[in-house]
Amino acid sequence: MEHRIVGPGPYRATRLWNETVELFRAKMPLRKHRCRFKSYEHCFTAAEAVDWLHDLLRCNQNFGPEVTRKQTIQLLKKFLKNHVIEDIKGKWGQEDFEDNRHLYRFPPSSPLKPYPKKLPYQKDVIKFPEWNDPPPGTSQENIPVRPVVMNSEMWYKRHSIAIGEVPACRLVHRRQLTEANVEEIWKSMTLSYLQKILGLDSLEEVLDIKLVNSKFIIHNVYSVSKQGVVILDDKSKELPHWVLSAMKCLANWPNSCDLKQPMYLGFEKDVFKTIADYYGHLKEPLLTFHLFDAFVSVLGLLQKEKVAVEAFQICCLLLPPENRRKLQLLMRMMARICLNKEMPPLCDGFGTRTLMVQTFSHCILCSKDEVDLDELLAARLVTFLMDNCQEILKVPLALQTSIEERVAHLRRVQIKYPGADMDITLSAPSFCRQISPEEFEYQRSYGSQEPLAALLEEVITDAKLSCKEKKKKLKQFQKSYPEVYQERFPTPESEALLFPEKPKPKPQLLMWALKKPFQPFQRTRSFRM
């Protein structure tokens, strides 16, 4: 069997367990061993199993090279407990697995874990206000239609926006968004965005959307400091002062330690132990129990780093603000400690990076129910978080912009026409009832022509309009409704009667014509002698 990447989706942890069991049974080398003067065929020692499985997990892209030998031993203990393996005498379940020369073998068949049968969540489709949503309590049948009365000024203003038929029985109405509407929009679009990134048909098997709090999402987006860390309204949920001081001390080592505290050999180890003890006694992991499947599902996208970062951004927005703040501060401290070359070793047996992952992985991600690969999955996730904490724990701008534009679109002011005599809130939308084809043809032919003909007459008889403005409006009306215009002005002569030509004034006589007739030039007598 070849290694394959288990992608995102429901029951990913169970799928990984089954695949690991199948790989282990198919490829683990078996040979003859002797124990207490007796030979056993097709078996292996505990140390051989640890070596082989450790190499398998480190080369498997679903787990990565960060897997430790200790984690491999923990997994083999679960194999023994679940009868994936048994000792050479057939014992399993209660036996403790240790890294030694004890002999083990495979049973005739290793049971694969069945996929959990969860009750399907009822699809709760969140619907937020649209342009044409009716107000609550209205029915779509037998709604009286108020006739629209428009004067020439209103008609001209409407046609200055767009040339087309003015609906006589339907007006656009915009409802005001409430706070609950905005929260539903944030929740709906955030979950839809996550579902699209994961490539799933539904989030039902990965996430219980009823447990998603829209207030958490909005708070995590807007209530942040300049550094991008969440600001809590309830200060009682903040980290204790002594824990925050200890984290600052290690994150900025050696420049941020309180010099009033006694400095001694191993001081930094005690400070680290203080932080580890606090996070280790949390009642719930920082990523919460109900989001375990969602984060594990995102781990299937790690081969596409940018997509995985984006998916983790969305998932972290769903966290309670106090959890998100604690996670942000912890991941920043862990990343700084790993990059700090002046930091003394915090543990003799592990490197700094491995120590960070092993110490805090369980307080960041774990399942409420026992999951056989939760230690490996948590270590994989924490490693990725630590390497990309700056990107993952900031607000996704694409999602924020998309939702803000959607809310702004729904909050736009109702359509009004300044200066018109109908500068009031428009009436509620009217709805149509089903009619016969004959009635439809009649209404199409005659229903809209009568109000348009009346509108045309109003433009014609409007004495306030100048001749130039009236000609402009009539030309626009003729372009939009040629049939109505043709019926009113069947001939060019009838149209010409509307604008009679003014009599031309007689040309005025020139001033010089009123003077004496021009007399010929008379030669005067020369003054020369």
Side-chain angles (χ1 to χ4, degrees):
M1 295 181 64
E2 299 295 333
H3 300 290
R4 66 183 182 89
I5 300 175
V6 179
Y11 318 122
R12 186 174 186 270
T14 304
R15 287 185 287 148
L16 282 173
W17 169 272
N18 290 339
E19 180 172 299
T20 305
V21 170
E22 291 175 348
L23 285 172
F24 186 48
R25 282 185 61 92
K27 293 191 175 184
M28 175 65 199
L30 304 177
R31 63 186 179 89
K32 182 179 179 179
H33 289 81
R34 290 183 61 86
C35 180
R36 296 180 182 179
F37 307 104
K38 189 175 181 180
S39 297
Y40 297 93
E41 298 286 345
H42 307 292
C43 58
F44 51 87
T45 66
E48 290 173 346
V50 174
D51 291 338
W52 190 89
L53 185 59
H54 186 210
D55 291 339
L56 173 70
L57 296 175
R58 294 180 75 252
C59 296
N60 192 319
Q61 296 182 2
N62 293 301
F63 302 103
E66 302 292 337
V67 178
T68 64
R69 190 174 183 88
K70 181 180 178 181
Q71 291 175 334
T72 306
I73 295 173
Q74 293 295 326
L75 179 57
L76 285 168
K77 287 182 178 181
K78 294 182 178 182
F79 280 179
L80 182 60
K81 181 179 179 181
N82 290 274
H83 204 195
V84 176
I85 60 176
E86 61 185 16
D87 75 351
I88 204 64
K89 296 181 181 180
K91 296 180 180 180
W92 62 279
Q94 301 300 325
E95 298 297 325
D96 192 13
F97 185 94
E98 295 182 2
D99 190 358
N100 53 26
R101 301 293 300 174
H102 195 75
L103 294 178
Y104 292 90
R105 66 188 180 189
F106 292 116
S109 64
S110 295
L112 299 179
K113 285 189 172 294
Y115 295 113
K117 294 182 179 180
K118 296 183 179 180
L119 294 176
Y121 303 125
Q122 294 181 354
K123 293 185 178 181
D124 186 13
V125 181
I126 300 175
K127 188 166 188 312
F128 38 84
E130 295 287 352
W131 275 74
N132 54 354
D133 280 350
T138 59
S139 172
Q140 297 189 5
E141 296 181 358
N142 301 325
I143 295 182
V145 177
R146 188 179 70 177
V148 180
V149 180
M150 293 186 296
N151 57 15
S152 59
E153 183 68 22
M154 174 174 290
W155 179 87
Y156 180 71
K157 288 183 179 294
R158 286 202 172 191
H159 281 253
S160 65
I161 297 175
I163 299 176
E165 183 176 355
V166 180
C169 63
R170 186 179 179 88
L171 298 176
V172 179
H173 178 72
R174 176 62 56 81
R175 291 167 54 192
Q176 183 177 2
L177 288 180
T178 63
E179 183 179 354
N181 295 143
V182 176
E183 292 176 358
E184 290 174 354
I185 294 171
W186 272 93
K187 177 178 177 179
S188 174
M189 294 189 67
T190 301
L191 295 179
S192 298
Y193 208 73
L194 177 61
Q195 179 178 334
K196 181 180 179 181
I197 294 176
L198 295 178
L200 302 177
D201 296 331
S202 174
L203 292 176
E204 290 183 355
E205 301 294 346
V206 173
L207 178 67
D208 187 353
I209 63 175
K210 295 180 181 178
L211 299 179
V212 176
N213 193 326
S214 56
K215 295 182 183 293
F216 292 168
I217 302 174
I218 298 175
H219 187 100
N220 291 334
V221 170
Y222 294 109
S223 298
V224 294
S225 64
K226 293 181 179 180
Q227 293 75 28
V229 180
V230 175
I231 301 174
L232 301 181
D233 296 331
D234 187 358
K235 300 303 179 182
S236 64
K237 296 181 180 180
E238 288 276 7
L239 281 170
H241 176 70
W242 51 273
V243 176
L244 192 58
S245 298
M247 296 177 70
K248 288 181 178 179
C249 177
L250 293 185
N252 300 287
W253 183 277
N255 304 318
S256 186
C257 293
D258 191 350
L259 298 180
K260 296 180 181 179
Q261 297 292 337
M263 298 290 291
Y264 53 87
L265 185 64
F267 172 76
E268 67 282 350
K269 295 181 180 179
D270 290 342
V271 175
F272 180 75
K273 186 176 183 300
T274 300
I275 302 170
D277 288 343
Y278 172 78
Y279 277 94
H281 287 84
L282 295 176
K283 296 181 180 179
E284 187 180 26
L286 295 179
L287 301 184
T288 69
F289 287 131
H290 83 273
L291 291 176
F292 175 82
D293 290 333
F295 279 100
V296 170
S297 183
V298 177
L299 286 175
L301 298 172
L302 293 190
Q303 303 305 313
K304 304 175 182 178
E305 184 174 333
K306 292 184 178 180
V307 179
V309 168
E310 194 173 4
F312 277 126
Q313 285 180 337
I314 306 299
C315 290
C316 289
L317 280 184
L318 309 181
L319 296 174
E322 57 271 18
N323 288 40
R324 182 178 172 89
R325 177 176 173 81
K326 292 177 182 177
L327 180 65
Q328 287 175 319
L329 297 177
L330 178 62
M331 296 310 302
R332 290 189 176 200
M333 182 202 72
M334 294 169 61
R336 289 188 178 185
I337 290 177
C338 291
L339 296 175
N340 190 354
K341 297 181 179 180
E342 299 182 10
M343 175 64 68
L346 298 175
C347 181
D348 298 332
F350 296 99
T352 302
R353 181 182 175 88
T354 303
L355 178 65
M356 294 294 114
V357 175
Q358 297 299 315
T359 303
F360 296 108
S361 60
H362 189 266
C363 72
I364 293 178
L365 179 70
C366 69
S367 174
K368 189 174 183 179
D369 303 322
E370 183 181 359
V371 177
D372 297 304
L373 297 177
D374 54 356
E375 294 94 349
L376 295 175
L377 297 174
R380 181 70 164 150
L381 182 140
V382 172
T383 302
F384 189 80
L385 281 180
M386 194 164 54
D387 294 337
N388 302 275
C389 62
Q390 294 294 334
E391 287 295 321
I392 291 176
L393 294 176
K394 72 178 185 180
V395 178
L397 294 179
L399 174 65
Q400 181 182 357
T401 302
S402 176
I403 297 177
E404 287 177 348
E405 289 178 353
R406 176 64 180 173
V407 173
H409 171 73
L410 294 174
R411 276 180 169 167
R412 288 199 184 103
V413 182
Q414 296 176 351
I415 296 179
K416 297 181 181 180
Y417 301 97
D421 57 354
M422 194 179 172
D423 193 17
I424 58 174
T425 302
L426 298 177
S427 60
S430 303
F431 300 91
C432 300
R433 60 181 178 84
Q434 187 174 3
I435 60 176
S436 63
E438 294 78 11
E439 187 177 358
F440 168 75
E441 292 295 335
Y442 177 81
Q443 290 185 3
R444 187 180 68 170
S445 302
Y446 303 100
S448 60
Q449 292 188 1
E450 294 180 1
L452 290 174
L455 184 62
L456 178 59
E457 289 296 332
E458 187 176 352
V459 175
I460 295 173
T461 58
D462 194 347
K464 296 180 181 180
L465 294 176
S466 64
C467 201
K468 183 177 180 181
E469 292 177 348
K470 188 176 294 188
K471 287 182 178 180
K472 183 178 180 180
K473 290 185 178 182
L474 289 176
K475 185 177 181 181
Q476 192 175 18
F477 192 99
Q478 183 184 13
K479 184 178 180 181
S480 302
Y481 313 106
E483 296 179 357
V484 179
Y485 192 87
Q486 181 67 24
E487 185 177 356
R488 176 61 177 82
F489 300 106
T491 60
E493 290 77 11
S494 59
E495 185 179 1
L497 294 177
L498 183 60
F499 303 102
E501 295 184 1
K502 296 181 179 180
K504 295 182 180 180
K506 295 181 179 180
Q508 297 181 356
L509 298 176
L510 298 177
M511 295 301 297
W512 59 268
L514 300 177
K515 295 181 180 180
K516 297 176 77 175
F518 179 77
Q519 296 180 359
F521 177 76
Q522 295 182 0
R523 186 172 182 178
T524 58
R525 184 179 178 183
S526 174
F527 289 97
R528 289 187 302 173
M529 296 300 295

